[in-house]
């Protein structure tokens, strides 16, 4: 399969690359999209973590 992460450890590299957007910058973005909802940053972080689950 041709994919930009199609190498040994590619999914791990991809997941590690998502740690930054799931961090404080991602929390701020989630709060701006769903203001007043204290759960939105946590749900956004969960989405970042789970979005590749089907590839396993």
């Amino acid at each position: 399969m041709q994919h930009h992460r199609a190498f040994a450890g590619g999914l791990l590299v991809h997941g590690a690359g998502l740690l930054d957007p799931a961090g404080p910058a991602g929390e701020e973005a989630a709060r701006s999209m769903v203001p007043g909802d204290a759960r939105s940053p946590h749900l956004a972080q969960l989405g970042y973590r789970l979005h590749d689950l089907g590839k396993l």
Side-chain angles (χ1 to χ4, degrees):
M1 175 169 50
Q2 296 294 325
H3 190 267
H4 67 281
R5 301 284 186 207
F7 57 88
L11 192 56
L12 181 61
V13 170
H14 175 67
L18 290 176
L19 292 176
D20 187 42
E27 289 182 31
E28 188 175 320
R31 283 194 179 100
S32 70
M33 288 183 234
V34 188
D37 186 351
R39 300 171 301 163
S40 61
H42 304 291
L43 292 173
Q45 289 175 351
L46 182 62
Y48 273 116
R49 296 284 104 221
L50 296 178
H51 88 275
D52 282 326
L53 189 62
K55 294 177 184 174
L56 295 175

